[in-house]
Amino acid sequence: QVQLVESGGGLVQPGGSLRLSCTTSGFTLDPYAITWFRQAPGKEREGVSCLSTSDGMTYYADSVKGRFTISRDKSQNTVYLQMNSLKPEDTAVYYCATPFGVWISESWYMANLYDYWGQGTQVTVSS
């Protein structure tokens, strides 16, 4: 079955960097997209960045533009999220997700579009 496994989270000081990985397995066809979400305590799940695998388009939330970069190593079935200039407000559990059956790229940030989710990895930005 389809599985997504995140790794790379941890504790980092403000201004620091982390690289998250999302390793996928079980796909019979290339997924439409792989998207990173995050959820902070008491807040709704937020779309952070998306890679549309059909055309290579990337999307970012305004709050992370210029600081985060999404990329893919297809040979390793892995999507990365390079996070630079981290801020305390980036603290959250980060999840990767992929849709099945329906894909609307303009709505990439909507969690209800996604059918498969990883278990999440904690990112804490604190001095």
Side-chain angles (χ1 to χ4, degrees):
Q1 72 268 24
V2 172
Q3 286 189 319
L4 297 89
V5 178
E6 303 96 336
S7 61
L11 173 64
V12 63
Q13 292 187 342
S17 298
L18 281 175
R19 188 178 77 161
L20 305 184
S21 299
C22 172
T23 301
T24 66
S25 62
F27 290 101
T28 54
L29 296 173
D30 210 15
Y32 291 117
I34 301 289
T35 298
W36 286 97
F37 286 83
R38 66 186 181 187
Q39 189 165 21
K43 294 190 176 181
E44 290 190 357
R45 196 163 291 194
E46 172 191 21
V48 175
S49 181
C50 171
L51 175 65
S52 176
T53 57
S54 61
D55 56 11
M57 289 289 292
T58 58
Y59 305 88
Y60 296 93
D62 288 343
S63 58
V64 306
K65 277 180 184 175
R67 300 189 298 124
F68 291 11
T69 303
I70 192 169
S71 63
R72 183 189 191 194
D73 184 340
K74 193 173 180 180
S75 68
Q76 299 294 321
N77 295 322
T78 300
V79 172
Y80 301 100
L81 185 68
Q82 178 67 44
M83 306 187 297
N84 298 329
S85 302
L86 282 161
K87 305 175 181 180
E89 51 264 44
D90 294 317
T91 296
V93 178
Y94 284 70
Y95 302 88
C96 58
T98 189
F100 177 80
V102 176
W103 174 239
I104 306 170
S105 59
E106 293 82 1
S107 301
W108 68 268
Y109 52 90
M110 298 180 67
N112 61 4
L113 268 187
Y114 295 83
D115 301 282
Y116 297 102
W117 293 81
Q119 82 289 348
T121 185
Q122 176 71 46
V123 172
T124 303
V125 185
S126 175
S127 54

